[in-house]
Each structure stands twice: as structure tokens, then as C-alpha cells.
Amino acid sequence: MIKAVAALLVLSGALSLGSCRKDPTNTSTSGLSTIVCDASFQNIMDQEIDVFEYTTKGRANIIPYYVSEKACVDSLLDFKTKTIVIPRELNQKEIDYLKGHKKLVRTNRIAVDAIALIVNKDNPIEMLSISEIADILSGRVTQWNELSPNKLGEIQVVFDDEGSSTVQYMRDSLLHGGKFGDNVYAQHSNLEVFSQVQNRKGAIGIIGVSWISSDMRTRDLPREERIKTLSENDTTVADFDPAVKVLKVHRDDDIHAYKPYQAYIYEGNYPLYRSIYMISTGVNGSLSHGFFSFVTGTIGQKIIQRTGILPARVQPRMVNLY
């Protein structure tokens, strides 16, 4: 608890400093700006910032902070940042508050993110229904053999962080605000969720699909080569990271189950998905507005496409299994 409070104090001070800074060179492609982003979207926003700063030849500096959805909204309402990325739109009360302080609010849906269920490669299970997932989360089902023939024993559910938007989504969507069972645990990051599933055969991880896309390996390419690939007119994504098994999910009234591929998200067949919004109060000509325009534009949307989730403006990539 002490560490969490200290981190919030550091974040608050850093954002206050950034919002008070006066930079006469600040334009749509130069200067300094902050963005506060839901932590589940970190790997995508890191790439957006990297490419944007590269295209400005180092004249622009975007400082990101990755926190909970609530902390994102609070930072915008407290005028500590001009740009946030969260899995919901602002409500009318929040919009009216900003307008009351003469802030122009821009909101753009930038992506549709899927929530993936991952298990250890040695787990024989292949799919789950929505009601089965709800039973696991609530603690009504605690053993793998309650679902299918399985010798792995207790089910351990692993989330990224107890305050994350992924936790909130699953609680609201599947449990209707109810409590999680004693078999549900929280780590400190999406990477830790991935690691837990790799190392614990009875674990099931709940994670944003961009964290398991094999195409995320393009982020390890040299920057020039990675940016060059954004001009390619490809329409396929290979598959998910083979280090874990991605489960199929089906609605209770549908016998067909689907993995969270872009095409299935686009068609609405994969049931666990949510919209991601970029919200800005940056004025025209400012760096905040310039970065907002970049992310919502063609290249920014192509970056999102490459991560395995569905961009708002680019056609879904089809599955090509080798």
C-alpha cells in the first residue's frame, strides 16, 4: 500500500510539472506533452509514441504514464494532462465539467480490444462458454475436472492488476458487479500474467489480446525497418504467441467457439471485447492535438492493426495459419 501511494504521488507531481510547463516551441510536431493511458494498452501506446517521435525527427517528446482507468480520468479532470486513453467514453457529467472550464473535448474510438483467455500449453482444455467463465471467476467452479476430463487440479485465475480495466470489464460483464472467488489473483503487469501461465499448469490468464499477438515481435525490429513495414499492404496475421494456448470462447446460445482474431472481433463472433477511446482537450496546433491526429490517422491505426487488436479505421486482418 505504501509503495502504491508513493507511486501515485510521484505521478501526480510529474503530471503537474508537465502541465505547467510553458514551451514557446510547442507545435503539432514539436515540444513536450504528456499522455495518461490505461495500463492494458501500454505496449501499443509505446509503439505509437516511438513512431510519432521518429517522424518529428526528435522535435516532439511525448511522456506516457500507464495507470488505472480511474487515474486516467482523474488526471484529465484535474488538468494534469490533456490526453488520455481509456476503454470508455467520458460520461456527460465529466464532459460538462471540462466544458465548464472552457475545454474543447475531442473523443475518438481508436480500437476494439479483445480480452483473451490463456492457459498453459499442457492444459488439454480448448474452449470455454461465457457461463463457464463466469462460474470460474465467481468461484463456483474451482477444479479443471469440473469442466472436462483434466488432471491439473485447482484453477488459478490470474489478472494483471486488481485495479485494472480488464478486471473491471470481467466483473461488470460476466459477474454483473458481483465478487470474484478466492481462486482469483492479481499480478502487477500483463507480462507477469503471461509468465504465470507459462510456469503454472493450472493457471488461466486473462489478458488484452495485444500482449499475446506473435506480430508484436515487429516491435523488436530496428526502428527504421519497423516503420518501413507500416507501408506494406498486408492483410494477414500469423497467430498468437505459441508459448501459451489461447482458448476459444463461445456464447451460451452459440455452439461455435472463436479465438480473438481480428476478423472474429470485427464480425462480433468473439464475445469478450471492448472499445478503446482516445480523449483530448488539446487545442488546435498543439503537440497534444498533433499526437491525437497521428494516432487516429492512417499510420497510427496501422500500428494498432499490427498488434492483433482491431483498429477503428483499418479493415481486419485475416487469419493465416501455417
Side-chain angles (χ1 to χ4, degrees):
M1 181 61 71
I2 294 176
K3 290 182 179 180
V5 172
L8 286 175
L9 289 174
V10 170
L11 171 62
S12 177
L15 288 175
S16 296
L17 177 62
S19 62
C20 293
R21 189 183 298 268
K22 303 293 185 182
D23 185 355
T25 64
N26 188 291
T27 70
S28 61
T29 57
S30 65
L32 175 69
S33 185
T34 62
I35 182 170
V36 185
C37 179
D38 187 285
S40 65
F41 215 60
Q42 177 177 350
N43 57 1
I44 299 171
M45 193 50 57
D46 280 344
Q47 291 192 69
E48 296 279 6
I49 292 170
D50 187 45
V51 175
F52 177 74
E53 290 182 344
Y54 178 82
T55 61
T56 67
K57 303 186 186 305
R59 294 189 300 269
N61 187 11
I62 306 293
I63 302 174
Y65 297 92
Y66 298 107
V67 295
S68 68
E69 175 190 316
K70 183 179 184 302
C72 291
V73 176
D74 288 347
S75 66
L76 187 69
L77 298 180
D78 290 340
F79 312 115
K80 294 174 180 176
T81 188
K82 294 182 176 67
T83 309
I84 63 173
V85 175
I86 57 174
R88 70 172 177 88
E89 296 180 271
L90 295 181
N91 59 44
Q92 195 58 50
K93 182 179 179 181
E94 292 161 344
I95 293 173
D96 290 343
Y97 177 81
L98 291 169
K99 287 184 176 179
H101 287 78
K102 303 186 184 307
K103 301 294 183 182
L104 175 63
V105 182
R106 291 182 175 88
T107 301
N108 204 319
R109 188 174 76 157
I110 59 174
V112 180
D113 187 23
I115 306 299
L117 306 182
I118 59 174
V119 296
N120 189 277
K121 291 192 298 182
D122 292 335
N123 193 326
I125 197 163
E126 297 291 339
M127 69 180 70
L128 289 171
S129 69
I130 290 295
S131 60
E132 288 173 333
I133 299 168
D135 286 342
I136 292 171
L137 293 176
S138 66
R140 291 189 293 269
V141 169
T142 60
Q143 303 289 321
W144 283 110
N145 62 13
E146 296 179 66
L147 299 169
S148 62
N150 197 311
K151 299 180 180 180
L152 294 183
E154 182 184 2
I155 302 172
Q156 302 112 26
V157 183
V158 187
F159 279 102
D160 52 345
D161 185 89
E162 92 179 288
S164 77
S165 61
T166 304
V167 170
Q168 189 66 40
Y169 172 86
M170 297 299 280
R171 180 188 286 119
D172 291 346
S173 300
L174 276 71
L175 301 186
H176 309 292
K179 294 183 178 180
F180 289 118
D182 294 335
N183 58 329
V184 177
Y185 306 90
Q187 301 300 303
H188 298 289
S189 70
N190 287 279
L191 292 177
E192 288 185 51
V193 174
F194 194 90
S195 177
Q196 286 290 319
V197 170
Q198 279 187 289
N199 296 317
R200 298 170 65 180
K201 293 185 178 182
I204 178 170
I206 301 179
I207 192 170
V209 72
S210 69
W211 292 91
I212 57 170
S213 171
S214 60
D215 212 25
M216 286 297 289
R217 288 175 293 188
T218 59
R219 65 185 169 186
D220 299 323
L221 294 173
R223 181 187 287 173
E224 292 80 1
E225 187 174 342
R226 179 154 39 91
I227 292 174
K228 182 180 179 181
T229 66
L230 293 172
S231 63
E232 298 174 359
N233 190 30
D234 59 328
T235 58
T236 60
V237 58
D239 203 356
F240 301 118
D241 194 311
V244 296
K245 180 191 289 186
V246 181
L247 296 184
K248 295 180 179 180
V249 178
H250 68 89
R251 294 181 173 86
D252 294 332
D253 59 354
D254 188 353
I255 62 173
H256 300 289
Y258 302 89
K259 288 188 178 183
Y261 291 116
Q262 286 177 337
Y264 297 147
I265 301 170
Y266 178 77
E267 295 168 353
N269 292 321
Y270 186 78
L272 302 177
Y273 64 89
R274 58 186 181 173
S275 293
I276 304 295
Y277 297 90
M278 192 170 195
I279 303 166
S280 177
T281 59
V283 299
N284 290 339
S286 68
L287 183 56
S288 296
H289 181 251
F291 186 57
F292 180 89
S293 299
F294 174 81
V295 175
T296 58
T298 302
I299 296 299
Q301 289 287 285
K302 188 66 177 288
I303 292 171
I304 291 173
Q305 182 187 29
R306 283 295 179 87
T307 66
I309 71 173
L310 182 67
R313 290 186 50 196
V314 182
Q315 288 297 310
R317 305 169 81 189
M318 302 306 293
V319 181
N320 184 16
L321 301 178
Y322 297 100

